[in-house]
Amino acid sequence: MACMVALRGLILVCLLQLSVQVDVNPAVLAKIIQYFDKNVQPKSGAQYAIAISLSKEQCTDETFSIKTVFSKEEAKIVKDTINCDSQICELFTDSINVIAARPDLKNPNDHSEYRLLYNKNNGFPDSPMDKLLRNANENSCVVFYTFNSPCVERCIDGNKNILEGLSNWKNKQKEGVNVFVFRNIWHIDLKEDLTQKFQKIDNIVPLYRCHGAEQFNCIKCGDDNHQIQRDCVTKKKSNCLSVCVIQHLLNYISGMF
């Protein structure tokens, strides 16, 4: 009888361990996004999207440095490729799987997120994301980053929205870690009620927001009930005022001597 109780307890512990979902470490995610900002960002303020497949450990271990698997030389290849609006970068090597794109300025409906999640015929398979997911597994961590938040008109509510593409990603990467990250809120959407809009994304893939200057910070936008945090739907406040006041004061003082 005692053995049976012990066995049941062991089975329960195993089931609990299996049910625990590994989540990305926000501090590690911040370093990854900051690396993209410094080494991949096409030009200041330019919209682009990038996805990378890492291991779960690389998304949780704070000692991990992304440049050990995605070198600055490789990042430059991605940056140089997407500087041309019409080109999509697909960089698959022994050490790293990366896809990236900017919006196609000749076709406004082909926004950067859409171009990565769907193929040229607007479906699956063989989209850049499908190619990346072929090399992913239950031990993988897939990070999808877009500089600006997905626009409401096209990316979330439009005929060419990204929701089906996100579902395709999640269905093919059920056991792995998946995160969808943005930095800025698309300026046209600042007056929108983004809470319900962003919930549509977070219901499929965990949504994060990462921003900063010298030091990036990442927050998980949705709670366990997919309620979106205020910091994820409001414009980031600038420290410019205090910095400018101090700078003017220093200039004034230096002019006195």
Side-chain angles (χ1 to χ4, degrees):
M1 184 66 177
C3 292
M4 184 64 70
V5 172
L7 180 59
R8 288 176 180 172
L10 180 61
I11 293 173
L12 179 60
V13 169
C14 291
L15 289 174
L16 287 173
Q17 288 179 339
L18 288 173
S19 65
V20 174
Q21 295 293 318
V22 177
D23 201 359
V24 68
N25 183 333
V28 177
L29 185 60
K31 292 179 182 178
I32 293 172
I33 303 306
Q34 188 159 17
Y35 185 84
F36 291 162
D37 186 69
K38 289 184 176 181
N39 298 283
V40 181
Q41 178 74 40
K43 58 183 179 180
S44 180
Q47 166 60 16
Y48 81 105
I50 181 171
I52 186 169
S53 179
L54 302 165
S55 70
K56 285 183 179 179
E57 184 179 5
Q58 290 168 339
C59 281
T60 56
D61 183 358
E62 291 193 32
T63 65
F64 168 66
S65 173
I66 187 174
K67 66 182 179 181
T68 61
V69 295
F70 183 33
S71 68
K72 290 185 177 181
E73 289 74 22
E74 290 169 325
K76 188 177 186 302
I77 292 173
V78 176
K79 179 177 181 177
D80 291 345
T81 302
I82 64 174
N83 262 328
C84 176
D85 297 327
S86 62
Q87 293 203 30
I88 298 174
C89 183
E90 297 177 0
L91 181 63
F92 301 119
T93 69
D94 292 336
S95 62
I96 197 66
N97 294 318
V98 174
I99 55 176
R102 289 181 65 189
D104 186 347
L105 298 183
K106 297 179 182 178
N107 186 351
N109 285 322
D110 285 348
H111 39 87
S112 53
E113 303 96 323
Y114 189 91
R115 299 182 79 192
L116 295 185
L117 292 167
Y118 298 82
N119 64 24
K120 291 182 179 179
N121 296 320
N122 304 331
F124 320 110
D126 294 329
S127 67
M129 193 63 164
D130 276 327
K131 294 176 185 178
L132 183 144
L133 293 174
R134 287 194 193 115
N135 296 323
N137 54 45
E138 66 275 7
N139 295 314
S140 298
C141 171
V142 176
V143 178
F144 190 111
Y145 169 67
T146 175
F147 179 72
N148 289 306
S149 62
C151 60
V152 170
E153 182 180 358
R154 294 192 179 96
C155 302
I156 300 178
D157 289 344
N159 292 330
K160 284 193 170 185
N161 68 70
I162 63 173
L163 301 180
E164 187 180 353
L166 295 180
S167 295
N168 174 67
W169 162 18
K170 181 63 181 295
N171 289 334
K172 292 185 176 181
Q173 176 72 359
K174 290 181 180 178
E175 304 301 325
V177 176
N178 304 299
V179 290
F180 188 99
V181 191
F182 73 95
R183 179 176 179 179
N184 301 321
I185 294 176
W186 176 235
H187 68 279
I188 295 177
D189 292 338
L190 285 172
K191 295 182 179 180
E192 293 273 356
D193 180 5
L194 294 173
T195 301
Q196 292 184 350
K197 304 299 182 182
F198 285 177
Q199 279 179 340
K200 293 182 179 182
I201 296 174
D202 194 64
N203 284 336
I204 305 171
V205 181
L207 180 66
Y208 284 76
R209 185 181 188 184
C210 300
H211 49 58
E214 294 299 321
Q215 188 72 35
F216 271 49
N217 178 57
C218 295
I219 58 172
K220 192 174 188 297
C221 293
D223 61 17
D224 292 341
N225 296 316
H226 303 290
Q227 297 300 308
I228 303 299
Q229 291 194 49
R230 180 174 174 79
D231 285 348
C232 282
V233 294
T234 55
K235 184 177 181 181
K236 183 179 180 292
K237 293 181 179 179
S238 173
N239 292 324
C240 178
L241 180 60
S242 58
V243 172
C244 290
V245 169
I246 293 173
Q247 186 62 54
H248 282 304
L249 181 59
L250 290 175
N251 290 341
Y252 175 76
I253 294 173
S254 62
M256 295 175 62
F257 295 96

PDB file of all heavy atoms in Angstrom, residues 39-69:
ATOM      1  N   ASN A  39      22.892  46.258 -34.132  1.00  0.00           N
ATOM      2  CA  ASN A  39      23.603  45.595 -35.221  1.00  0.00           C
ATOM      3  C   ASN A  39      22.760  45.245 -36.448  1.00  0.00           C
ATOM      4  O   ASN A  39      23.327  44.965 -37.504  1.00  0.00           O
ATOM      5  CB  ASN A  39      24.255  44.306 -34.695  1.00  0.00           C
ATOM      6  CG  ASN A  39      25.280  44.576 -33.611  1.00  0.00           C
ATOM      7  OD1 ASN A  39      26.389  45.006 -33.892  1.00  0.00           O
ATOM      8  ND2 ASN A  39      24.908  44.326 -32.363  1.00  0.00           N
ATOM      9  N   VAL A  40      21.430  45.280 -36.313  1.00  0.00           N
ATOM     10  CA  VAL A  40      20.574  44.909 -37.436  1.00  0.00           C
ATOM     11  C   VAL A  40      19.689  46.057 -37.907  1.00  0.00           C
ATOM     12  O   VAL A  40      19.383  46.156 -39.099  1.00  0.00           O
ATOM     13  CB  VAL A  40      19.695  43.688 -37.078  1.00  0.00           C
ATOM     14  CG1 VAL A  40      18.821  43.288 -38.257  1.00  0.00           C
ATOM     15  CG2 VAL A  40      20.552  42.499 -36.648  1.00  0.00           C
ATOM     16  N   GLN A  41      19.277  46.941 -37.006  1.00  0.00           N
ATOM     17  CA  GLN A  41      18.383  48.049 -37.350  1.00  0.00           C
ATOM     18  C   GLN A  41      18.857  48.737 -38.629  1.00  0.00           C
ATOM     19  O   GLN A  41      19.976  49.265 -38.680  1.00  0.00           O
ATOM     20  CB  GLN A  41      18.338  49.056 -36.205  1.00  0.00           C
ATOM     21  CG  GLN A  41      17.470  50.272 -36.461  1.00  0.00           C
ATOM     22  CD  GLN A  41      15.986  49.950 -36.385  1.00  0.00           C
ATOM     23  OE1 GLN A  41      15.561  49.186 -35.528  1.00  0.00           O
ATOM     24  NE2 GLN A  41      15.208  50.532 -37.264  1.00  0.00           N
ATOM     25  N   PRO A  42      18.048  48.708 -39.714  1.00  0.00           N
ATOM     26  CA  PRO A  42      18.512  49.244 -41.008  1.00  0.00           C
ATOM     27  C   PRO A  42      18.966  50.699 -40.928  1.00  0.00           C
ATOM     28  O   PRO A  42      20.026  51.050 -41.389  1.00  0.00           O
ATOM     29  CB  PRO A  42      17.273  49.098 -41.903  1.00  0.00           C
ATOM     30  CG  PRO A  42      16.464  48.024 -41.258  1.00  0.00           C
ATOM     31  CD  PRO A  42      16.687  48.172 -39.779  1.00  0.00           C
ATOM     32  N   LYS A  43      18.134  51.543 -40.355  1.00  0.00           N
ATOM     33  CA  LYS A  43      18.485  52.931 -40.109  1.00  0.00           C
ATOM     34  C   LYS A  43      17.578  53.428 -39.001  1.00  0.00           C
ATOM     35  O   LYS A  43      16.556  52.805 -38.693  1.00  0.00           O
ATOM     36  CB  LYS A  43      18.322  53.785 -41.369  1.00  0.00           C
ATOM     37  CG  LYS A  43      16.933  53.788 -41.966  1.00  0.00           C
ATOM     38  CD  LYS A  43      16.893  54.607 -43.234  1.00  0.00           C
ATOM     39  CE  LYS A  43      15.498  54.594 -43.857  1.00  0.00           C
ATOM     40  NZ  LYS A  43      15.435  55.390 -45.095  1.00  0.00           N
ATOM     41  N   SER A  44      17.925  54.526 -38.395  1.00  0.00           N
ATOM     42  CA  SER A  44      17.163  55.008 -37.250  1.00  0.00           C
ATOM     43  C   SER A  44      15.694  55.194 -37.594  1.00  0.00           C
ATOM     44  O   SER A  44      15.349  55.905 -38.538  1.00  0.00           O
ATOM     45  CB  SER A  44      17.755  56.333 -36.761  1.00  0.00           C
ATOM     46  OG  SER A  44      17.037  56.815 -35.652  1.00  0.00           O
ATOM     47  N   GLY A  45      14.835  54.522 -36.830  1.00  0.00           N
ATOM     48  CA  GLY A  45      13.400  54.684 -37.016  1.00  0.00           C
ATOM     49  C   GLY A  45      12.785  53.867 -38.121  1.00  0.00           C
ATOM     50  O   GLY A  45      11.567  53.920 -38.337  1.00  0.00           O
ATOM     51  N   ALA A  46      13.585  53.083 -38.860  1.00  0.00           N
ATOM     52  CA  ALA A  46      13.054  52.292 -39.968  1.00  0.00           C
ATOM     53  C   ALA A  46      12.351  51.040 -39.441  1.00  0.00           C
ATOM     54  O   ALA A  46      12.875  50.345 -38.575  1.00  0.00           O
ATOM     55  CB  ALA A  46      14.168  51.895 -40.917  1.00  0.00           C
ATOM     56  N   GLN A  47      11.172  50.770 -39.982  1.00  0.00           N
ATOM     57  CA  GLN A  47      10.433  49.575 -39.603  1.00  0.00           C
ATOM     58  C   GLN A  47      11.063  48.327 -40.224  1.00  0.00           C
ATOM     59  O   GLN A  47      11.438  48.311 -41.405  1.00  0.00           O
ATOM     60  CB  GLN A  47       8.977  49.685 -40.042  1.00  0.00           C
ATOM     61  CG  GLN A  47       8.181  48.389 -39.998  1.00  0.00           C
ATOM     62  CD  GLN A  47       8.087  47.768 -38.608  1.00  0.00           C
ATOM     63  OE1 GLN A  47       8.356  48.415 -37.599  1.00  0.00           O
ATOM     64  NE2 GLN A  47       7.726  46.507 -38.555  1.00  0.00           N
ATOM     65  N   TYR A  48      11.197  47.291 -39.418  1.00  0.00           N
ATOM     66  CA  TYR A  48      11.642  45.992 -39.913  1.00  0.00           C
ATOM     67  C   TYR A  48      11.219  44.931 -38.909  1.00  0.00           C
ATOM     68  O   TYR A  48      10.817  45.243 -37.781  1.00  0.00           O
ATOM     69  CB  TYR A  48      13.163  45.962 -40.121  1.00  0.00           C
ATOM     70  CG  TYR A  48      13.976  45.731 -38.862  1.00  0.00           C
ATOM     71  CD1 TYR A  48      14.580  44.502 -38.614  1.00  0.00           C
ATOM     72  CD2 TYR A  48      14.139  46.736 -37.911  1.00  0.00           C
ATOM     73  CE1 TYR A  48      15.327  44.288 -37.465  1.00  0.00           C
ATOM     74  CE2 TYR A  48      14.879  46.534 -36.768  1.00  0.00           C
ATOM     75  CZ  TYR A  48      15.472  45.296 -36.541  1.00  0.00           C
ATOM     76  OH  TYR A  48      16.209  45.087 -35.394  1.00  0.00           O
ATOM     77  N   ALA A  49      11.282  43.684 -39.331  1.00  0.00           N
ATOM     78  CA  ALA A  49      10.977  42.570 -38.439  1.00  0.00           C
ATOM     79  C   ALA A  49      12.048  41.508 -38.608  1.00  0.00           C
ATOM     80  O   ALA A  49      12.618  41.344 -39.696  1.00  0.00           O
ATOM     81  CB  ALA A  49       9.597  41.991 -38.753  1.00  0.00           C
ATOM     82  N   ILE A  50      12.318  40.785 -37.541  1.00  0.00           N
ATOM     83  CA  ILE A  50      13.341  39.739 -37.556  1.00  0.00           C
ATOM     84  C   ILE A  50      12.895  38.615 -36.634  1.00  0.00           C
ATOM     85  O   ILE A  50      12.257  38.857 -35.607  1.00  0.00           O
ATOM     86  CB  ILE A  50      14.715  40.301 -37.127  1.00  0.00           C
ATOM     87  CG1 ILE A  50      15.793  39.212 -37.174  1.00  0.00           C
ATOM     88  CG2 ILE A  50      14.657  40.927 -35.739  1.00  0.00           C
ATOM     89  CD1 ILE A  50      17.216  39.761 -36.970  1.00  0.00           C
ATOM     90  N   ALA A  51      13.196  37.396 -37.024  1.00  0.00           N
ATOM     91  CA  ALA A  51      12.920  36.243 -36.169  1.00  0.00           C
ATOM     92  C   ALA A  51      14.176  35.397 -36.079  1.00  0.00           C
ATOM     93  O   ALA A  51      14.930  35.278 -37.060  1.00  0.00           O
ATOM     94  CB  ALA A  51      11.764  35.417 -36.718  1.00  0.00           C
ATOM     95  N   ILE A  52      14.391  34.822 -34.920  1.00  0.00           N
ATOM     96  CA  ILE A  52      15.582  34.014 -34.678  1.00  0.00           C
ATOM     97  C   ILE A  52      15.207  32.781 -33.876  1.00  0.00           C
ATOM     98  O   ILE A  52      14.341  32.840 -33.001  1.00  0.00           O
ATOM     99  CB  ILE A  52      16.661  34.843 -33.934  1.00  0.00           C
ATOM    100  CG1 ILE A  52      17.971  34.063 -33.813  1.00  0.00           C
ATOM    101  CG2 ILE A  52      16.170  35.296 -32.565  1.00  0.00           C
ATOM    102  CD1 ILE A  52      19.145  34.920 -33.325  1.00  0.00           C
ATOM    103  N   SER A  53      15.819  31.669 -34.202  1.00  0.00           N
ATOM    104  CA  SER A  53      15.592  30.424 -33.474  1.00  0.00           C
ATOM    105  C   SER A  53      16.813  30.123 -32.610  1.00  0.00           C
ATOM    106  O   SER A  53      17.932  30.000 -33.120  1.00  0.00           O
ATOM    107  CB  SER A  53      15.341  29.268 -34.447  1.00  0.00           C
ATOM    108  OG  SER A  53      15.135  28.061 -33.740  1.00  0.00           O
ATOM    109  N   LEU A  54      16.584  30.040 -31.317  1.00  0.00           N
ATOM    110  CA  LEU A  54      17.634  29.739 -30.348  1.00  0.00           C
ATOM    111  C   LEU A  54      17.240  28.492 -29.563  1.00  0.00           C
ATOM    112  O   LEU A  54      16.217  27.861 -29.857  1.00  0.00           O
ATOM    113  CB  LEU A  54      17.821  30.928 -29.396  1.00  0.00           C
ATOM    114  CG  LEU A  54      18.169  32.270 -30.039  1.00  0.00           C
ATOM    115  CD1 LEU A  54      17.964  33.406 -29.045  1.00  0.00           C
ATOM    116  CD2 LEU A  54      19.608  32.263 -30.546  1.00  0.00           C
ATOM    117  N   SER A  55      18.009  28.133 -28.568  1.00  0.00           N
ATOM    118  CA  SER A  55      17.618  27.047 -27.671  1.00  0.00           C
ATOM    119  C   SER A  55      16.897  27.640 -26.464  1.00  0.00           C
ATOM    120  O   SER A  55      17.031  28.831 -26.168  1.00  0.00           O
ATOM    121  CB  SER A  55      18.848  26.270 -27.206  1.00  0.00           C
ATOM    122  OG  SER A  55      19.638  27.062 -26.319  1.00  0.00           O
ATOM    123  N   LYS A  56      16.124  26.820 -25.757  1.00  0.00           N
ATOM    124  CA  LYS A  56      15.443  27.295 -24.560  1.00  0.00           C
ATOM    125  C   LYS A  56      16.449  27.843 -23.548  1.00  0.00           C
ATOM    126  O   LYS A  56      16.206  28.866 -22.911  1.00  0.00           O
ATOM    127  CB  LYS A  56      14.649  26.151 -23.915  1.00  0.00           C
ATOM    128  CG  LYS A  56      13.381  25.784 -24.643  1.00  0.00           C
ATOM    129  CD  LYS A  56      12.627  24.696 -23.895  1.00  0.00           C
ATOM    130  CE  LYS A  56      11.335  24.325 -24.600  1.00  0.00           C
ATOM    131  NZ  LYS A  56      10.614  23.239 -23.887  1.00  0.00           N
ATOM    132  N   GLU A  57      17.577  27.154 -23.421  1.00  0.00           N
ATOM    133  CA  GLU A  57      18.604  27.596 -22.461  1.00  0.00           C
ATOM    134  C   GLU A  57      19.125  28.978 -22.826  1.00  0.00           C
ATOM    135  O   GLU A  57      19.368  29.822 -21.960  1.00  0.00           O
ATOM    136  CB  GLU A  57      19.754  26.587 -22.430  1.00  0.00           C
ATOM    137  CG  GLU A  57      20.825  26.920 -21.398  1.00  0.00           C
ATOM    138  CD  GLU A  57      21.940  25.898 -21.358  1.00  0.00           C
ATOM    139  OE1 GLU A  57      21.937  24.969 -22.196  1.00  0.00           O
ATOM    140  OE2 GLU A  57      22.829  26.031 -20.495  1.00  0.00           O
ATOM    141  N   GLN A  58      19.273  29.236 -24.120  1.00  0.00           N
ATOM    142  CA  GLN A  58      19.778  30.536 -24.564  1.00  0.00           C
ATOM    143  C   GLN A  58      18.776  31.662 -24.325  1.00  0.00           C
ATOM    144  O   GLN A  58      19.145  32.830 -24.321  1.00  0.00           O
ATOM    145  CB  GLN A  58      20.156  30.454 -26.041  1.00  0.00           C
ATOM    146  CG  GLN A  58      21.396  29.609 -26.291  1.00  0.00           C
ATOM    147  CD  GLN A  58      21.608  29.274 -27.749  1.00  0.00           C
ATOM    148  OE1 GLN A  58      20.675  29.325 -28.554  1.00  0.00           O
ATOM    149  NE2 GLN A  58      22.830  28.917 -28.115  1.00  0.00           N
ATOM    150  N   CYS A  59      17.519  31.323 -24.106  1.00  0.00           N
ATOM    151  CA  CYS A  59      16.498  32.324 -23.811  1.00  0.00           C
ATOM    152  C   CYS A  59      16.255  32.496 -22.319  1.00  0.00           C
ATOM    153  O   CYS A  59      15.449  33.337 -21.914  1.00  0.00           O
ATOM    154  CB  CYS A  59      15.175  31.941 -24.479  1.00  0.00           C
ATOM    155  SG  CYS A  59      15.103  32.326 -26.238  1.00  0.00           S
ATOM    156  N   THR A  60      16.945  31.705 -21.506  1.00  0.00           N
ATOM    157  CA  THR A  60      16.723  31.769 -20.060  1.00  0.00           C
ATOM    158  C   THR A  60      17.987  32.041 -19.254  1.00  0.00           C
ATOM    159  O   THR A  60      17.915  32.582 -18.151  1.00  0.00           O
ATOM    160  CB  THR A  60      16.093  30.454 -19.550  1.00  0.00           C
ATOM    161  OG1 THR A  60      16.931  29.346 -19.930  1.00  0.00           O
ATOM    162  CG2 THR A  60      14.700  30.250 -20.143  1.00  0.00           C
ATOM    163  N   ASP A  61      19.153  31.687 -19.800  1.00  0.00           N
ATOM    164  CA  ASP A  61      20.417  31.824 -19.074  1.00  0.00           C
ATOM    165  C   ASP A  61      20.978  33.236 -19.252  1.00  0.00           C
ATOM    166  O   ASP A  61      21.326  33.634 -20.366  1.00  0.00           O
ATOM    167  CB  ASP A  61      21.406  30.782 -19.589  1.00  0.00           C
ATOM    168  CG  ASP A  61      22.731  30.799 -18.832  1.00  0.00           C
ATOM    169  OD1 ASP A  61      22.906  31.641 -17.925  1.00  0.00           O
ATOM    170  OD2 ASP A  61      23.598  29.976 -19.155  1.00  0.00           O
ATOM    171  N   GLU A  62      21.093  33.975 -18.167  1.00  0.00           N
ATOM    172  CA  GLU A  62      21.547  35.366 -18.241  1.00  0.00           C
ATOM    173  C   GLU A  62      23.012  35.504 -18.647  1.00  0.00           C
ATOM    174  O   GLU A  62      23.461  36.595 -18.967  1.00  0.00           O
ATOM    175  CB  GLU A  62      21.292  36.079 -16.905  1.00  0.00           C
ATOM    176  CG  GLU A  62      19.817  36.302 -16.614  1.00  0.00           C
ATOM    177  CD  GLU A  62      19.577  37.267 -15.468  1.00  0.00           C
ATOM    178  OE1 GLU A  62      20.394  38.196 -15.286  1.00  0.00           O
ATOM    179  OE2 GLU A  62      18.566  37.096 -14.759  1.00  0.00           O
ATOM    180  N   THR A  63      23.758  34.409 -18.631  1.00  0.00           N
ATOM    181  CA  THR A  63      25.155  34.476 -19.072  1.00  0.00           C
ATOM    182  C   THR A  63      25.282  34.339 -20.585  1.00  0.00           C
ATOM    183  O   THR A  63      26.360  34.555 -21.143  1.00  0.00           O
ATOM    184  CB  THR A  63      25.992  33.372 -18.402  1.00  0.00           C
ATOM    185  OG1 THR A  63      25.526  32.081 -18.838  1.00  0.00           O
ATOM    186  CG2 THR A  63      25.890  33.460 -16.879  1.00  0.00           C
ATOM    187  N   PHE A  64      24.179  34.003 -21.248  1.00  0.00           N
ATOM    188  CA  PHE A  64      24.221  33.803 -22.692  1.00  0.00           C
ATOM    189  C   PHE A  64      24.432  35.138 -23.418  1.00  0.00           C
ATOM    190  O   PHE A  64      23.801  36.143 -23.115  1.00  0.00           O
ATOM    191  CB  PHE A  64      22.913  33.170 -23.177  1.00  0.00           C
ATOM    192  CG  PHE A  64      22.739  33.195 -24.680  1.00  0.00           C
ATOM    193  CD1 PHE A  64      23.574  32.465 -25.504  1.00  0.00           C
ATOM    194  CD2 PHE A  64      21.740  33.965 -25.264  1.00  0.00           C
ATOM    195  CE1 PHE A  64      23.421  32.492 -26.880  1.00  0.00           C
ATOM    196  CE2 PHE A  64      21.569  33.996 -26.639  1.00  0.00           C
ATOM    197  CZ  PHE A  64      22.420  33.253 -27.447  1.00  0.00           C
ATOM    198  N   SER A  65      25.316  35.125 -24.404  1.00  0.00           N
ATOM    199  CA  SER A  65      25.553  36.282 -25.261  1.00  0.00           C
ATOM    200  C   SER A  65      25.178  35.893 -26.687  1.00  0.00           C
ATOM    201  O   SER A  65      25.738  34.950 -27.258  1.00  0.00           O
ATOM    202  CB  SER A  65      27.019  36.711 -25.202  1.00  0.00           C
ATOM    203  OG  SER A  65      27.277  37.734 -26.142  1.00  0.00           O
ATOM    204  N   ILE A  66      24.231  36.609 -27.273  1.00  0.00           N
ATOM    205  CA  ILE A  66      23.730  36.247 -28.597  1.00  0.00           C
ATOM    206  C   ILE A  66      24.813  36.298 -29.665  1.00  0.00           C
ATOM    207  O   ILE A  66      24.769  35.560 -30.655  1.00  0.00           O
ATOM    208  CB  ILE A  66      22.530  37.139 -28.986  1.00  0.00           C
ATOM    209  CG1 ILE A  66      21.902  36.625 -30.293  1.00  0.00           C
ATOM    210  CG2 ILE A  66      22.917  38.590 -29.069  1.00  0.00           C
ATOM    211  CD1 ILE A  66      20.644  37.319 -30.692  1.00  0.00           C
ATOM    212  N   LYS A  67      25.825  37.136 -29.468  1.00  0.00           N
ATOM    213  CA  LYS A  67      26.855  37.252 -30.497  1.00  0.00           C
ATOM    214  C   LYS A  67      27.688  35.977 -30.632  1.00  0.00           C
ATOM    215  O   LYS A  67      28.409  35.815 -31.615  1.00  0.00           O
ATOM    216  CB  LYS A  67      27.762  38.457 -30.230  1.00  0.00           C
ATOM    217  CG  LYS A  67      28.605  38.364 -28.971  1.00  0.00           C
ATOM    218  CD  LYS A  67      29.416  39.642 -28.797  1.00  0.00           C
ATOM    219  CE  LYS A  67      30.258  39.593 -27.521  1.00  0.00           C
ATOM    220  NZ  LYS A  67      31.029  40.843 -27.332  1.00  0.00           N
ATOM    221  N   THR A  68      27.563  35.058 -29.662  1.00  0.00           N
ATOM    222  CA  THR A  68      28.280  33.781 -29.770  1.00  0.00           C
ATOM    223  C   THR A  68      27.644  32.863 -30.809  1.00  0.00           C
ATOM    224  O   THR A  68      28.290  31.927 -31.285  1.00  0.00           O
ATOM    225  CB  THR A  68      28.322  33.061 -28.410  1.00  0.00           C
ATOM    226  OG1 THR A  68      26.984  32.787 -27.971  1.00  0.00           O
ATOM    227  CG2 THR A  68      29.025  33.913 -27.360  1.00  0.00           C
ATOM    228  N   VAL A  69      26.381  33.119 -31.163  1.00  0.00           N
ATOM    229  CA  VAL A  69      25.709  32.296 -32.182  1.00  0.00           C
ATOM    230  C   VAL A  69      25.243  33.132 -33.373  1.00  0.00           C
ATOM    231  O   VAL A  69      24.945  32.594 -34.437  1.00  0.00           O
ATOM    232  CB  VAL A  69      24.498  31.536 -31.587  1.00  0.00           C
ATOM    233  CG1 VAL A  69      24.950  30.528 -30.544  1.00  0.00           C
ATOM    234  CG2 VAL A  69      23.470  32.494 -31.002  1.00  0.00           C
TER     235      VAL A  69
END
